[in-house]
Amino acid sequence: EPEVTQTPSHQVTQMGQEVILRCVPISNHLYFYWYRQILGQKVEFLVSFYNNEISEKSEIFDDQFSVERPDGSNFTLKIRSTKLEDSAMYFCASRTGLVNTEAFFGQGTRLTVV
Amino acid sequence: LAKTTQPISMDSYEGQEVNITCSHNNIATNDYITWYQQFPSQGPRFIIQGYKTKVTNEVASLFIPADRKSSTLSLPRVSLSDTAVYYCFLSYNTDKLIFGTGTRLQVFP
């Protein structure tokens, strides 16, 4: 079964440092997403990406966040200057289309900011 | 987006059938009903989707009454490994998934 792959599985970083979370979506998918889940809380939408640009972003996705699809396979989330409250699981997801299509989620990257 | 309501938590024992109901009184004509499952420390995973009546796959069944104002996810003979959070969504042509708190199912031996 095809899967979304995320690396690293766990990242520890110091406050103020930049981190890049990487995702390899399923190859024929066109829509890409980042979500985050703070421990014990809901899964929160961050951003959606289609046709090499952001299609929608949440209030959480402020100027310290950015996304890129630098090549045909990777999809990255960059956090420029991490804060303690950025500690969370970050999930990447992809889907082929919008109409009633399944979203496939990766296993997540656990980001710990110290 | 139409709102869904589901119980915050449910408990069950191994071998029992579990039914989780989701209310969606304002479901739109084009909306499909979709359920996802999330195990602890893992990404959500699609379980099942339906529009009306009954849908069954290898994991679960989804029952949707004629008025479509609610739906019931049925998990037959649950095991400990079915302990997870289950999310109900309405979707037709939606981009992002908006997660609620879901239903936390705890299965006991």
Side-chain angles (χ1 to χ4, degrees):
Chain A
E1 182 177 295
E3 60 180 17
V4 175
T5 305
Q6 290 186 244
T7 55
S9 56
H10 192 182
Q11 171 102 38
V12 180
T13 189
Q14 288 200 324
M15 193 168 53
Q17 294 296 304
E18 174 184 286
V19 295
I20 298 176
L21 309 183
R22 301 181 192 279
C23 169
V24 180
I26 295 171
S27 62
N28 64 338
H29 285 190
L30 301 175
Y31 296 83
F32 313 111
Y33 308 85
W34 284 101
Y35 292 81
R36 80 171 185 192
Q37 187 173 32
I38 296 170
L39 186 63
Q41 297 188 24
K42 297 189 300 187
V43 177
E44 300 174 290
F45 167 76
L46 292 179
V47 66
S48 57
F49 193 85
Y50 169 72
N51 201 25
N52 287 320
E53 61 182 26
I54 291 173
S55 47
E56 189 171 354
K57 58 184 180 179
S58 72
E59 290 178 356
I60 303 168
F61 194 90
D62 60 22
D63 291 344
Q64 72 159 341
F65 290 92
S66 62
V67 289
E68 256 193 337
R69 190 156 160 80
D71 53 42
S73 59
N74 291 287
F75 180 51
T76 62
L77 174 69
K78 182 192 292 186
I79 309 175
R80 286 192 188 81
S81 178
T82 50
K83 308 183 191 111
L84 295 176
E85 54 265 37
D86 293 327
S87 296
M89 282 287 282
Y90 287 80
F91 295 109
C92 173
S94 69
R95 59 203 299 192
T96 55
L98 292 182
V99 180
N100 297 321
T101 58
E102 176 184 347
F104 290 80
F105 285 79
Q107 290 302 297
T109 293
R110 181 174 297 284
L111 177 65
T112 303
V113 183
V114 297
Chain B
L1 291 176
K3 182 178 165 59
T4 61
T5 304
Q6 48 183 129
I8 292 174
S9 65
M10 294 182 71
D11 292 338
S12 183
Y13 291 93
E14 283 192 293
Q16 291 189 331
E17 178 183 79
V18 170
N19 296 307
I20 305 173
T21 296
C22 180
S23 299
H24 28 79
N25 290 317
N26 297 318
I27 187 169
T29 303
N30 290 335
D31 278 331
Y32 277 65
I33 299 151
T34 309
W35 286 80
Y36 281 73
Q37 172 191 56
Q38 185 182 25
F39 297 117
S41 298
Q42 294 190 28
R45 184 177 76 117
F46 171 89
I47 305 177
I48 197 165
Q49 182 181 80
Y51 185 81
K52 61 180 179 180
T53 61
K54 177 184 172 183
V55 179
T56 297
N57 62 21
E58 65 277 6
V59 176
S61 294
L62 180 59
F63 297 92
I64 306 166
D67 66 5
R68 302 199 331 120
K69 292 184 185 299
S70 67
S71 57
T72 299
L73 176 73
S74 181
L75 305 172
R77 298 180 299 281
V78 294
S79 63
L80 296 176
S81 62
D82 291 314
T83 293
V85 180
Y86 294 83
Y87 300 96
C88 167
F89 296 94
L90 300 181
S91 59
Y92 173 63
N93 191 24
T94 50
D95 189 0
K96 60 187 183 291
L97 293 174
I98 299 297
F99 287 81
T101 53
T103 298
R104 186 173 298 278
L105 172 67
Q106 179 68 55
V107 180
F108 294 97

